[in-house]
Amino acid sequence: MKPKSGISISILPDHHDVLVSQKDQSVLDVALRLKIPLNHTCGGNGTCGTCLVHIVNGIESLEPRTEIESEMAEDRKFPDHERLACQLKPHDHLVVEIKKSN
């Protein structure tokens, strides 16, 4: 039996180890596909900031923020380890933690 291959990410705090589908364009897509609760009031357009996640592992391999995410990060003063799940492309061994709403 051939082992599964592909990109694997982890989503905390519930320790979901996930094999990413080719259809998953963002970390938000992965969470929605697996029914992992992740707020996204703007529908994944990067305009609300509710899908903010902490990067626990893999920050050095991330692509730069998109223009949309950069504007919000600058406006809201996000540190480098905070990213919008809707704008964040998954990569192998990425570990993110969903921020709990207040």
Side-chain angles (χ1 to χ4, degrees):
M1 180 182 224
K2 185 178 178 181
K4 290 183 179 181
S5 63
I7 296 173
S8 176
I9 70 170
S10 295
I11 301 176
L12 306 174
D14 296 328
H15 300 282
H16 295 279
D17 293 323
V18 181
L19 192 61
V20 176
S21 164
Q22 289 184 352
K23 294 179 182 179
D24 295 323
Q25 298 298 307
S26 69
V27 170
L28 177 61
D29 291 334
V30 174
L32 293 176
R33 176 173 55 85
L34 297 171
K35 297 180 178 23
I36 298 169
L38 180 53
N39 290 332
H40 58 288
T41 57
C42 71
N45 294 310
T47 57
C48 68
T50 59
C51 67
L52 195 64
V53 295
H54 288 283
I55 306 304
V56 176
N57 187 46
I59 195 168
E60 66 283 345
S61 300
L62 295 181
E63 293 185 15
R65 297 180 195 269
T66 64
E67 184 176 340
I68 292 168
E69 186 182 16
S70 290
E71 288 176 15
M72 181 170 290
E74 185 176 321
D75 182 52
R76 298 187 184 182
K77 301 187 180 2
F78 294 162
D80 290 343
H81 68 276
E82 291 185 347
R83 299 291 297 263
L84 296 178
C86 68
Q87 302 295 302
L88 181 60
K89 293 185 179 186
H91 69 78
D92 207 21
H93 306 298
L94 177 66
V95 179
V96 300
E97 183 170 17
I98 298 172
K99 287 191 74 160
K100 296 296 179 190
S101 353
N102 296 333

